[in-house]
Amino acid sequence: MSSEQQGKIGTPSESPPSCPPDRLALLREEAHREHTLLIERTNMFLLYHSILMAGFALGSTAPKIATALPILGLFASLVWVYIGHRSLLVGDYFWKRVLECEALLEPDERVFTNALNWRRSTRPPIFGVPVGIYFGRVFPWMWVITWLAALVWRT
């Protein structure tokens, strides 16, 4: 076997997989950061949409406002759909890397894996859907539908 072949994955010379503690800590930090960003963005979009909806309700006598606010709300909702989807993808990437790294540890050292298993067994997802999906996909699409209905109702 050539030295080039010995360095490839799956060859007998391969060292056992490892995950340095600093890498695992960084992955955990990034995964938590993505989750926090998703929650913060959801809060911002919910506040923004609440203000738009209040303006829509109060401005119902002004036809231009009654038309412009649902269009603005629809656009903001579609941006939220994109941002939520992207946040979920990035967060999922980091959580999977954390699980891969923790799989190499002793069972007692698998902090995230053990917590995830505990949460799944004691607090099952609502209607089988994890909470993050509500923040990143369900709420944005609910607002898209709401603003579409407001546009149809106003015209």
Side-chain angles (χ1 to χ4, degrees):
M1 199 182 299
S2 71
S3 61
E4 182 181 334
Q5 288 176 329
Q6 286 180 353
K8 291 185 179 178
I9 295 176
T11 60
S13 65
E14 180 182 300
S15 61
S18 68
C19 185
D22 56 336
R23 179 171 188 258
L24 180 57
L26 181 61
L27 289 170
R28 284 178 179 154
E29 183 181 316
E30 287 299 314
H32 284 294
R33 179 180 166 274
E34 279 303 317
H35 182 73
T36 301
L37 283 173
L38 176 63
I39 302 303
E40 288 174 359
R41 290 170 179 158
T42 298
N43 288 337
M44 182 203 59
F45 277 112
L46 284 173
L47 177 64
Y48 181 71
H49 284 285
S50 297
I51 292 169
L52 282 178
M53 188 55 75
F56 176 71
L58 295 173
S60 60
T61 57
K64 289 182 182 179
I65 291 175
T67 304
L69 288 178
I71 292 170
L72 186 59
L74 181 62
F75 176 74
S77 297
L78 292 172
V79 169
W80 187 7
V81 166
Y82 170 74
I83 289 173
H85 177 72
R86 189 187 66 193
S87 289
L88 288 171
L89 287 177
V90 173
D92 188 52
Y93 169 82
F94 284 114
W95 287 124
K96 284 181 179 175
R97 300 299 83 75
V98 168
L99 289 172
E100 289 170 1
C101 277
E102 285 192 351
L104 303 172
L105 300 174
E106 294 297 321
D108 293 349
E109 297 173 349
R110 299 175 185 169
V111 176
F112 174 73
T113 305
N114 294 336
L116 182 63
N117 291 335
W118 174 78
R119 285 181 64 180
R120 285 180 178 163
S121 66
T122 61
R123 293 170 176 80
I126 303 167
F127 303 116
V129 179
V131 174
I133 299 298
Y134 285 103
F135 292 137
R137 292 199 177 107
V138 175
F139 291 158
W141 281 110
M142 283 174 47
W143 277 101
V144 167
I145 293 166
T146 300
W147 289 118
L148 284 173
L151 273 172
V152 170
W153 180 61
R154 280 291 167 202
T155 55

